[in-house]
């Protein structure tokens, strides 16, 4: 994106671009450069916003990429301090637990 286009952006679009580019840079910086697919990963890299929220002057983003690394990222913008905070996570497991199962467990433990 060139400077003229960035200057035209208003409101949260600047925060979106900062969030996306922060994760793009972080991801490329942490890729294994000896990986045979390194260049392909960099050229095909797609960073996307999963969720975002603005409360007062603060922003919270959850982001991910199209890489097969199970990573996801949390970016928080502190509007008072004009600072961004990055947390990087690796998804370890994804389970589906039915409501019925949870209610039965709560009853078994005497919590319902």
């Amino acid at each position: 994106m060139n400077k003229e286009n960035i200057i035209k952006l208003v409101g949260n679009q600047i925060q979106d671009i900062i969030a996306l580019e922060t994760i793009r840079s972080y991801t490329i910086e942490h890729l294994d450069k000896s990986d045979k697919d390194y260049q392909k990963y960099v050229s095909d890299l797609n960073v996307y916003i999963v969720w975002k929220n603005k409360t007062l002057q603060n922003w919270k983003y959850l982001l991910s990429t199209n890489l097969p690394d199970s990573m996801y990222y949390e970016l928080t913008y502190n509007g008072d301090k004009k600072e961004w905070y990055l947390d990087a996570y690796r998804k370890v497991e994804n389970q589906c637990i039915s409501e019925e199962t949870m209610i039965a467990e709560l009853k078994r433990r005497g919590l319902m």
Side-chain angles (χ1 to χ4, degrees), residues 3-102:
K3 286 183 183 178
E4 294 78 30
N5 288 339
I6 291 176
I7 291 170
K8 291 178 186 176
L9 295 172
V10 293
N12 68 319
Q13 292 175 322
I14 290 292
Q15 274 76 16
D16 288 358
I17 290 172
I18 291 170
L20 291 165
E21 289 304 312
T22 298
I23 299 309
R24 179 178 175 72
S25 296
Y26 178 90
T27 301
I28 291 171
E29 180 182 319
H30 289 84
L31 282 173
D32 181 356
K33 290 164 186 54
S34 67
D35 189 313
K36 66 178 178 60
D37 293 323
Y38 173 78
Q39 285 300 346
K40 180 179 178 353
Y41 288 151
V42 171
S43 63
D44 293 347
L45 181 61
N46 182 25
V47 179
Y48 56 93
I49 298 168
V50 176
W51 175 87
K52 71 178 182 179
N53 183 49
K54 181 177 191 288
T55 303
L56 301 175
Q57 69 280 7
N58 303 308
W59 288 89
K60 176 77 75 174
Y61 286 84
L62 298 180
L63 303 101
S64 194
T65 73
N66 61 330
L67 296 178
D69 60 1
S70 298
M71 292 294 295
Y72 69 98
Y73 306 91
E74 179 181 317
L75 262 179
T76 304
Y77 176 68
N78 180 331
D80 291 332
K81 294 183 178 182
K82 307 272 189 261
E83 294 176 337
W84 290 84
Y85 310 106
L86 167 64
D87 294 305
Y89 302 96
R90 182 175 312 277
K91 181 168 68 172
V92 175
E93 189 172 355
N94 182 351
Q95 290 186 2
C96 177
I97 304 169
S98 73
E99 182 178 16
E100 182 181 331
T101 299
M102 291 305 300

